[in-house]
Amino acid sequence: IAGVCIMHTPLELSRINAPMPVTKKIAIIIPCHNEQHGIGKVLRAIPHEALKHHGYTTQILVIDNNSTDRTAA
């Protein structure tokens, strides 16, 4: 009976046992209707730098529900 012995260097072992990188993503969905005077304040209140500092990739979606003012501008 033949046996197989595989030898790994410490570097190879560290690659084998290395944790997979974790991508943290967050999506912020903001529905709005006639919010031209308030939507900027809402967007500025999102803690972009804090999220980035903690490793989050952010996506912000503002959903305009047929506003009659300049919300979408």
Side-chain angles (χ1 to χ4, degrees):
I1 297 177
V4 177
C5 180
I6 300 173
M7 301 296 288
H8 292 286
T9 66
L11 180 60
E12 289 172 327
L13 287 174
S14 70
R15 289 182 184 152
I16 292 170
N17 295 323
M20 295 293 293
V22 176
T23 302
K24 298 187 287 186
K25 298 179 182 179
I26 186 168
I28 300 169
I29 303 169
I30 304 168
C32 62
H33 178 75
N34 291 338
E35 291 291 336
Q36 87 177 45
H37 298 294
I39 194 66
K41 184 177 180 180
V42 169
L43 293 172
R44 286 188 297 276
I46 298 170
H48 299 281
E49 291 304 315
L51 291 167
K52 186 176 178 180
H53 175 75
H54 291 285
Y56 284 93
T57 299
T58 58
Q59 178 181 28
I60 300 169
L61 301 170
V62 178
I63 310 298
D64 180 27
N65 187 11
N66 294 318
S67 292
T68 56
D69 64 1
R70 296 184 42 83
T71 298

